[in-house]
Every structure is written in structure tokens, then in C-alpha cells.
Amino acid sequence: MEEKVMPVDVPDGVWVLDTGASNHMTGMPSALTQIDTSVRGTVKFGDGSSVRIRGMGSVVMQDRFEGHKVLTEVYYIPELRSNIVSLGQLEEKGFKYVGEKGRLCVYDQEHTLLISAPRVGNRLYLAKFGLTPPVCLLAQSDDKSWNWHARFGHLNFRSLSNLSDKSMVEGLPSIRKVDRVCDGCVLGKQHRKPFPQVSSFRAEKVLDLVHADLCGQITPKSIGGASYFLLVVDDHSRYMWVEMLKTKDQALECFKRITLRAENESGGKLKAIRTDRGDLTGQKMQKFRLLMDRKSAIELSKNPVYHERSKHIDTRYHYIRECVSNGIAEVDHVSTDRQLADILTKPLGRIKFLEMRQLLGVSDVCHD
């Protein structure tokens, strides 16, 4: 069966989202910033023709919140009559695209909508970008609400609106409600408890407690080729041992030698060691799966952006988010009815308790 496909003219400033293109391309030099003319090469099309690459640059787009998004590694090809966005190149950089109901949506690494393109004739997805020159938005802003927010030392917008409505400040314009969260306010309200000046515990004898930490990978390497060093500190005497290591898996044997030497010199025995996450074994933490019944908690663990309602969370509680970012933890959703942790954290009815206990594999060994 042969299907008749009509070509579609692409207007100026419109970009074609293409799954078959190997790279972003444009023929408009005005759309690019910082063009590197040393980049050369050729691009071959499906009909066998080829054109020369005359440089590579970046395209700065403005989103609906007046923020800037950058499309990098865009080829400049003067002979090209269409602007092409390579979906494969975006996906390679961690972007995600979804097509449904006649529209193709592209999301960045933070799951924020970047491009929304409708399907037009010839089954093409076309998007018109609001191109803008790169400027520092902290230094230049046309939004009066944000300007007055900064002038009053990041005073909240509700209070600014009250000052304006009640004419409490001469010259203050009407402040509209702003739905976005100020990043500076959120970061400024992040807090952690101060480090104690004096430890609440101090070992009474040598080797009652030692602290150990494996540091590295160090760049550049030492003269002897070492990329790590092991630091061991006695809690009582504050005596320190430092050993240089070429590989991380040497840490355990090195620590054994330090312990043996210290025990021979002091005449005592090591009682306790304090370290973080088993660095001395030289093994990476095993990947684990965490099931949650709250979708908001899952989004907080996967999204590195600080939310308005999470701005007061102490930074020490961000461990799960770090594990997800490092690929150690995998967070999935489970319905509340199947959340086995509830049997340990909530008072359950008898029927629900027996159901959860059975799912855990716990059997009743006491018989009436």
C-alpha cells in the first residue's frame, strides 16, 4: 500500500522535533549563542544528499515562567531550511519525551515540562521557541513583584500585597500573587543544628574508641601513586595514624595493621570503631528497593528541587534523596493496603493485623 504524504512548509522560528535526527541543527545563526566555528563535518540526509557543518552553538529558550533553558550542541548548517531538534540527543542527556493525544511533550532531568509540540500535517511535531539572548535574571528583571520582593529583603508576597493595598509604603505598586517559590528564600531557610563545641562522650582509655575515615579518590595521585588515604584517630588521646593507599580495597588490611601496632604499643585491645557506611570494606553499598504509599514522598525523593512545603526539612533527612541520585536506592509506590511497614508503625484492627502478619511470613506458634 502506498500512502500519499504531503510536504509541510516549516515557518521561520519553528523547530521540528525529530526522532530520526542524529543531532540538533539549525540554519539561523541568529538563534545560536557562542558559535564555535572550529567544529566541522558533514550531515547526510535520507535522500543521499549531504551538507557541511559550519559550527556549533547553543540555543537559549525562555519558558512560561520567564526562566532560561539551554539547548546545547546545536549544529550550524547555513544550507538548512528547517530547524531540527533531535529527540535522541535529548534522551541521551537524560530528557524524557512522551507523545499522546496529538501532542509531544519533552521533560528535562528535573521532570519539568520543557517543550510541548502539537502534531500537524505529515505527522510532524512542530514547536515555536521563544528565543532570548542569555542574560542574568538576578541582575535584570521586568517583574515588579520580584523586584520589590528583593528590595524588601525577600519579604513574602502576602505581606508585600498588604503593604500595597493599605498604602503603607509610598510609591509601592500593586503586588500581584506569585505562584512560584523564590529559590533564595528556600535555600536561606534550610538549616541544620550547629556542631557541638564539646563532645558529649569521650573515651576514658586508649583504644576504647577509634574513629576511621577513608578519603579519596585524590586527583592528582601522590608521588607514590596513591589515590586514597586512611585516617584513624584515637578518641581518648587524639593520636592519629595516616596511611596512603593505591586502591580502596586495601583499607581493611591497612586498618588491621594499624590496630595490631597500636595494641602492641599500648598494651590494650581495641573495643569499638566508628566509621561511615562501611568504607573500610572497600565494597559499594548494595542497591535496595524502598516501597512508599505516599506519592508526595516519592516525588520529594526523586526531585532535587526544593519545594515550598519542604523548605523547613532539616538537611540531615535528605539521605534517601542522595541514595536515589547516586543510583543506590530505587523508590516505588505501593498501595496503603499493601504497605507492610504499617504493622510496625500503626495500630491496626485485628483482621488487618492478621493479614499483614501473614504477608510478612510470621506464623503463630502459640496455641490456645
Side-chain angles (χ1 to χ4, degrees), residues 23 32-39 53-58 72-76:
N23 217 92
L32 297 174
T33 60
Q34 300 176 347
I35 301 179
D36 184 3
T37 56
S38 64
V39 177
I53 301 171
R54 299 297 182 180
M56 184 171 64
S58 300
T72 59
E73 300 179 6
V74 182
Y75 286 152
Y76 170 52

Side-chain angles (χ1 to χ4, degrees), residues 210-352:
V210 297
H211 305 269
D213 191 17
L214 180 62
C215 303
Q217 191 172 7
I218 304 170
T219 304
K221 297 181 179 180
S222 68
I223 297 178
S227 299
Y228 302 86
F229 69 88
L230 176 64
L231 175 64
V232 181
V233 182
D234 178 66
D235 190 78
H236 174 73
S237 64
R238 292 295 192 262
Y239 190 84
M240 293 183 288
W241 297 266
V242 179
E243 292 286 345
M244 305 299 295
L245 309 175
K246 292 185 178 181
T247 58
K248 200 172 183 179
D249 56 6
Q250 297 176 338
L252 184 58
E253 291 298 325
C254 181
F255 179 76
K256 291 179 179 179
R257 293 195 300 270
I258 293 175
T259 303
L260 181 60
R261 185 165 67 246
E263 290 178 344
N264 291 336
E265 293 176 357
S266 64
K269 291 291 184 180
L270 176 62
K271 293 183 178 180
I273 176 177
R274 181 176 295 171
T275 183
D276 55 345
R277 295 196 288 273
D279 281 347
L280 296 182
T281 62
Q283 299 178 355
K284 294 183 178 179
M285 180 181 289
Q286 296 293 326
K287 186 175 181 179
F288 62 92
R289 186 168 177 238
L290 189 63
L291 299 178
M292 296 184 182
D293 59 356
R294 292 185 177 272
K295 293 185 178 180
S296 58
I298 296 176
E299 291 301 320
L300 282 174
S301 66
K302 293 183 178 180
N303 193 348
V305 177
Y306 294 102
H307 300 266
E308 183 178 13
R309 294 188 178 182
S310 66
K311 59 188 177 185
H312 296 295
I313 298 178
D314 197 294
T315 54
R316 60 177 175 169
Y317 298 120
H318 295 168
Y319 174 67
I320 296 296
R321 177 183 290 176
E322 295 176 0
C323 290
V324 173
S325 300
N326 296 331
I328 300 174
E330 179 181 353
V331 182
D332 291 324
H333 179 260
V334 62
S335 63
T336 303
D337 294 338
R338 308 291 293 180
Q339 180 55 278
L340 300 182
D342 286 352
I343 194 174
L344 304 175
T345 59
K346 298 179 180 179
L348 303 176
R350 176 176 174 79
I351 297 177
K352 192 65 177 179

Side-chain angles (χ1 to χ4, degrees), residues 37-309:
T37 56
S38 64
V39 177
R40 300 287 177 173
T42 58
V43 173
K44 179 178 281 190
F45 295 107
D47 59 357
S49 62
S50 61
V51 291
R52 293 186 178 276
I53 301 171
R54 299 297 182 180
M56 184 171 64
S58 300
V59 175
V60 182
M61 301 176 291
Q62 183 170 331
D63 60 19
R64 55 179 178 172
F65 297 120
E66 300 182 0
H68 287 180
K69 301 293 183 180
V70 182
L71 200 67
T72 59
E73 300 179 6
V74 182
Y75 286 152
Y76 170 52
I77 304 175
E79 293 83 2
L80 195 63
R81 294 295 176 261
S82 301
N83 306 308
I84 300 175
V85 175
S86 170
L87 295 177
Q89 186 176 353
L90 290 177
E91 193 272 336
E92 189 179 60
K93 292 182 177 296
F95 291 75
K96 178 183 178 181
Y97 60 89
V98 179
E100 59 181 359
K101 298 180 179 179
R103 185 168 291 273
L104 184 68
C105 298
V106 180
Y107 300 88
D108 61 12
Q109 298 93 332
E110 299 176 354
H111 309 287
T112 302
L113 180 62
L114 180 63
I115 303 172
S116 179
R119 186 179 64 237
V120 296
N122 210 10
R123 297 171 184 163
L124 294 177
Y125 291 95
L126 303 182
K128 186 174 180 62
F129 297 158
L131 303 182
T132 180
V135 295
C136 179
L137 295 181
L138 293 178
Q140 177 177 340
S141 175
D142 297 328
D143 194 321
K144 295 182 179 179
S145 299
W146 284 104
N147 288 338
W148 283 99
H149 171 68
R151 289 168 182 168
F152 274 85
H154 290 259
L155 181 64
N156 64 81
F157 288 98
R158 182 181 301 173
S159 299
L160 282 175
S161 181
N162 289 335
L163 292 176
S164 175
D165 296 340
K166 297 178 182 180
S167 301
M168 299 174 66
V169 177
E170 185 178 352
L172 179 63
S174 178
I175 302 298
R176 64 180 179 85
K177 182 181 178 182
V178 178
D179 295 329
R180 294 186 65 198
V181 179
C182 176
D183 294 338
C185 292
V186 174
L187 293 176
K189 291 176 181 177
Q190 293 289 323
H191 68 283
R192 66 168 301 155
K193 294 180 180 179
F195 292 103
Q197 298 296 325
V198 180
S199 175
S200 59
F201 172 80
R202 186 71 176 268
E204 297 180 355
K205 297 180 181 179
V206 175
L207 296 184
D208 277 358
L209 173 65
V210 297
H211 305 269
D213 191 17
L214 180 62
C215 303
Q217 191 172 7
I218 304 170
T219 304
K221 297 181 179 180
S222 68
I223 297 178
S227 299
Y228 302 86
F229 69 88
L230 176 64
L231 175 64
V232 181
V233 182
D234 178 66
D235 190 78
H236 174 73
S237 64
R238 292 295 192 262
Y239 190 84
M240 293 183 288
W241 297 266
V242 179
E243 292 286 345
M244 305 299 295
L245 309 175
K246 292 185 178 181
T247 58
K248 200 172 183 179
D249 56 6
Q250 297 176 338
L252 184 58
E253 291 298 325
C254 181
F255 179 76
K256 291 179 179 179
R257 293 195 300 270
I258 293 175
T259 303
L260 181 60
R261 185 165 67 246
E263 290 178 344
N264 291 336
E265 293 176 357
S266 64
K269 291 291 184 180
L270 176 62
K271 293 183 178 180
I273 176 177
R274 181 176 295 171
T275 183
D276 55 345
R277 295 196 288 273
D279 281 347
L280 296 182
T281 62
Q283 299 178 355
K284 294 183 178 179
M285 180 181 289
Q286 296 293 326
K287 186 175 181 179
F288 62 92
R289 186 168 177 238
L290 189 63
L291 299 178
M292 296 184 182
D293 59 356
R294 292 185 177 272
K295 293 185 178 180
S296 58
I298 296 176
E299 291 301 320
L300 282 174
S301 66
K302 293 183 178 180
N303 193 348
V305 177
Y306 294 102
H307 300 266
E308 183 178 13
R309 294 188 178 182

